[in-house]
């Protein structure tokens, strides 16, 4: 992923360093007193649970004998923040400021300003902790609040820009399953979390207008939008066959200052990764023509093409409901203005175990529908029902195995704990 990020950034920076209509440079935050803002904070949302959870996690982090942060403790803070985030819908910058006020209060600071923002963002008390699955550092509590809020704000900006066009938008990836838990910013040793979205369009002809409208989204890199616009024509002419998705990575906040961030935070860019699916492709991915997900009804596998702007060296790592992995190579070929990647929509292995593929996993298990002009919510519900039916069938076939919907997702270890509980509670009763 890091190689892919660097390659894309190099291409875009070589094209141009100028951005049309850039926002004015942010001004440094003046020092403010925590006590002056506490009444406003507590009247906007009930911060009691986030405040207590943050205090607990800081107390553990400050213990020099602690080698790792318990997942459940970080998860409790994420769950508490998720519960109050609806109070800040459309006011994400205010949530960031209120979090800074409350975290400063817990840490015993009398005032807060840009210097404290940066200190909380890189919080050295958490520098020795990693996610337990790799060498990647854990995002600090304040960092993941900031980065989650930035992506929620920008997803809404995309929705607003595309308003009125025949389409539906779905929030996916870590901005959905890892809110306030595993959404991270850019660091010298690792890339920032993408903002992943699925946009379902009535037909591919609308993609050119989509690109034109996205040019007006604050923070978006115009060069990457121009590249998207250029790719719509070859897709419509050559690759739109009802079995090919159209994916593109757009760069956010690489040249334009983000007013949610202080001047001290120089690198604020991340990738907006959009998967465009025409309605026939969505039906193909959701296996809409079949009422069951069985070999007899649909076959042992189904493959989709993805018309991408970048390549990747990663494998297509699919998993069963038992968590058994099936890493598979991704066949990729050069295409006009991009690349065609072939990946499996699903795969049924030799033990008759179902493995959701990349696009099904994006739409499972907890898609957040941002807008729905094409009424895809019902189609997603039908698909989930078929997956639950398949899960019940496999539990009957293998009663002594632990089979859970969450175990079939290759990113399951990065889900916020309360999301895992929510998913598996639903799948146990489904």
């Amino acid at each position: 992923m890091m190689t892919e990020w660097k390659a894309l950034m190099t291409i875009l920076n070589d094209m141009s360093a100028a951005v049309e209509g850039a926002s004015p440079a942010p001004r440094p935050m003046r020092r403010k007193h925590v006590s002056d803002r506490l009444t406003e904070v507590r009247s906007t949302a009930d911060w009691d649970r986030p405040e207590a959870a943050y205090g607990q996690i800081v107390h553990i982090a400050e213990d020099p004998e602690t080698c790792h942060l318990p997942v459940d403790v970080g998860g409790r803070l994420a769950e508490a923040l998720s519960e109050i985030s609806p109070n800040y819908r459309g006011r994400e910058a205010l949530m960031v400021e209120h979090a800074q006020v409350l975290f400063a209060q817990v840490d015993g600071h009398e005032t807060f300003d840009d210097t404290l923002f940066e200190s909380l963002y890189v919080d050295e008390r958490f520098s020795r902790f990693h996610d337990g699955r790799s060498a990647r550092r854990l995002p600090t509590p304040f960092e993941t609040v900031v980065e989650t809020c930035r992506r929620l704000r920008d997803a809404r900006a995309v929705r607003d820009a595309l308003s009125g066009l025949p389409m539906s938008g779905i929030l996916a990836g870590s901005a959905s399953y890892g809110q306030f838990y595993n959404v991270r910013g850019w660091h010298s040793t690792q890339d920032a979390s993408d903002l992943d979205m699925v946009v379902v369009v009535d037909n591919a002809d609308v993609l050119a207008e989509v690109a034109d409208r996205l040019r007006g989204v604050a923070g978006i890199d115009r060069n990457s939008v121009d590249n998207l616009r250029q790719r719509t024509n070859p897709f419509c002419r050559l690759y739109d066959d009802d079995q090919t998705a159209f994916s593109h990575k757009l760069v956010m906040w690489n040249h334009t200052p983000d007013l949610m961030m202080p001047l001290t935070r120089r690198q604020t860019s991340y990738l907006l990764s959009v998967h465009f699916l025409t309605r026939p492709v969505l039906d193909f991915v959701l296996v809409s023509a079949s009422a069951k997900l069985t070999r007899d009804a649909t076959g042992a596998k189904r493959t989709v093409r993805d018309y991408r702007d970048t390549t990747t060296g990663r494998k297509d790592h699919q998993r069963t409901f038992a968590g058994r992995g099936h890493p598979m190579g991704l066949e990729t070929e050069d295409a006009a203005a991009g690349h065609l990647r072939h990946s499996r929509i699903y795969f049924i292995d030799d033990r008759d175990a179902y493995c959701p593929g990349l696009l099904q996993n994006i739409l499972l298990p907890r898609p957040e529908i941002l807008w729905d002009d094409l009424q895809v919510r019902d189609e997603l519900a039908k698909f989930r029902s078929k997956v639950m039916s398949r899960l019940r069938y496999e539990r009957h076939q293998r009663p002594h195995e632990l089979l859970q919907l969450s175990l079939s997702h290759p990113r399951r270890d990065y889900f916020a704990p309360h999301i895992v509980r929510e998913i598996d509670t639903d799948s146990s009763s489904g």
Side-chain angles (χ1 to χ4, degrees):
M1 179 65 188
M2 193 64 176
T3 301
E4 181 180 343
W5 165 277
K6 288 181 177 178
L8 182 59
M9 292 297 294
T10 299
I11 292 171
L12 292 169
N13 288 334
D14 286 345
M15 291 173 68
S16 173
V19 176
E20 301 173 19
S23 301
R27 297 178 181 177
M29 177 191 292
R30 295 179 179 177
R31 182 174 297 177
K32 301 177 182 179
H33 285 270
V34 170
S35 58
D36 291 343
R37 301 301 301 277
L38 285 175
T39 299
E40 174 193 320
V41 171
R42 299 193 188 283
S43 64
T44 304
D46 183 356
W47 279 86
D48 287 354
R49 287 190 68 210
E51 184 177 11
Y54 177 72
Q56 183 177 359
I57 199 173
V58 164
H59 183 78
I60 294 173
E62 289 178 340
D63 182 352
E65 300 299 319
T66 300
C67 298
H68 70 280
L69 285 172
V71 170
D72 290 343
V73 177
R76 185 172 180 83
L77 176 59
E79 183 177 14
L81 290 165
S82 295
E83 287 178 352
I84 67 168
S85 64
N87 294 282
Y88 294 95
R89 190 165 291 133
R91 302 185 297 168
E92 286 80 10
L94 184 64
M95 183 171 184
V96 169
E97 184 170 350
H98 284 184
Q100 185 178 1
V101 170
L102 259 295
F103 291 3
Q105 167 81 354
V106 171
D107 289 333
H109 296 286
E110 182 179 352
T111 62
F112 66 101
D113 55 13
D114 284 350
T115 301
L116 181 61
F117 186 112
E118 183 68 12
S119 176
L120 289 171
Y121 191 96
V122 301
D123 205 330
E124 294 298 331
R125 293 173 295 184
F126 298 89
S127 62
R128 70 183 186 277
F129 300 121
H130 295 78
D131 60 18
R133 296 163 293 273
S134 68
R136 299 201 321 170
R137 55 172 289 282
L138 285 169
T140 69
F142 187 61
E143 174 190 351
T144 199
V145 171
V146 173
E147 298 301 336
T148 295
C149 286
R150 295 177 70 210
R151 284 153 185 76
L152 294 178
R153 173 202 61 192
D154 294 344
R156 190 182 67 255
V158 170
R159 178 202 66 190
D160 294 345
L162 301 181
S163 176
L165 296 177
M167 58 186 59
S168 297
I170 301 167
L171 182 67
S174 60
S176 175
Y177 58 66
Q179 288 184 11
F180 306 109
Y181 181 73
N182 203 32
V183 183
R184 65 189 69 225
W186 185 92
H187 293 271
S188 59
T189 57
Q190 64 190 42
D191 52 310
S193 300
D194 286 6
L195 168 56
D196 294 287
M197 297 181 67
V198 176
V199 176
V200 182
V201 298
D202 200 29
N203 60 75
D205 294 338
V206 76
L207 290 174
E209 185 172 356
V210 168
D212 292 341
R213 291 199 181 193
L214 288 177
R215 287 178 62 84
V217 172
I220 203 162
D221 180 88
R222 301 296 179 84
N223 295 319
S224 57
V225 176
D226 290 343
N227 189 22
L228 169 64
R229 182 66 167 80
Q230 293 166 7
R231 296 182 63 230
T232 61
N233 184 265
F235 177 75
C236 292
R237 288 190 299 105
L238 303 173
Y239 308 120
D240 181 25
D241 59 358
D242 296 344
Q243 296 181 15
T244 303
F246 177 15
S247 297
H248 194 86
K249 291 183 181 291
L250 298 148
V251 181
M252 301 293 299
W253 305 108
N254 61 326
H255 297 304
T256 308
D258 186 344
L259 301 182
M260 197 180 287
M261 306 289 280
L263 289 171
T264 51
R265 176 63 26 185
R266 297 294 183 181
Q267 175 59 273
T268 62
S269 59
Y270 71 86
L271 293 178
L272 165 59
S273 182
V274 187
H275 301 276
F276 295 100
L277 309 181
T278 62
R279 191 60 184 264
V281 172
L282 179 69
D283 291 341
F284 188 60
V285 169
L286 300 183
V287 200
S288 298
S290 174
K292 293 184 178 182
L293 300 174
T294 64
R295 288 177 181 268
D296 292 342
T298 64
K301 63 181 179 181
R302 177 174 291 195
T303 302
V304 66
R305 298 192 307 176
D306 189 10
Y307 177 59
R308 297 167 51 88
D309 57 324
T310 61
T311 59
T312 177
R314 290 180 298 173
K315 290 189 175 182
D316 189 10
H317 202 150
Q318 299 182 9
R319 297 185 184 277
T320 69
F321 298 131
R324 290 190 174 88
H326 289 281
M328 306 171 191
L330 288 165
E331 179 186 344
T332 304
E333 59 185 278
D334 291 336
H339 311 272
L340 282 173
R341 188 176 73 179
H342 302 252
S343 62
R344 290 178 176 175
I345 293 174
Y346 68 85
F347 167 64
I348 301 177
D349 71 11
D350 55 5
R351 299 179 73 248
D352 194 29
Y354 188 87
C355 304
L358 173 66
L359 287 175
Q360 286 191 347
N361 271 320
I362 288 176
L363 297 169
L364 277 174
R366 190 180 181 264
E368 184 175 336
I369 299 176
L370 299 174
W371 77 100
D372 195 19
D373 295 340
L374 294 185
Q375 303 298 311
V376 302
R377 188 185 304 272
D378 290 344
E379 298 307 312
L380 292 175
K382 291 176 186 177
F383 174 63
R384 183 179 179 83
S385 177
K386 285 188 290 191
V387 172
M388 293 300 100
S389 177
R390 176 73 203 192
L391 180 56
R392 288 193 296 270
Y393 162 77
E394 293 192 23
R395 284 173 173 166
H396 178 75
Q397 296 298 110
R398 295 184 289 280
H400 300 301
E401 291 187 9
L402 175 64
L403 304 182
Q404 300 282 13
L405 179 58
S406 71
L407 292 174
S408 68
H409 202 294
R411 303 286 293 175
R412 192 257 193 194
D413 288 343
Y414 300 97
F415 286 17
H418 70 281
I419 300 298
V420 174
R421 292 196 303 271
E422 175 187 318
I423 293 165
D424 290 338
T425 298
D426 289 349
S427 64
S428 296
S429 60

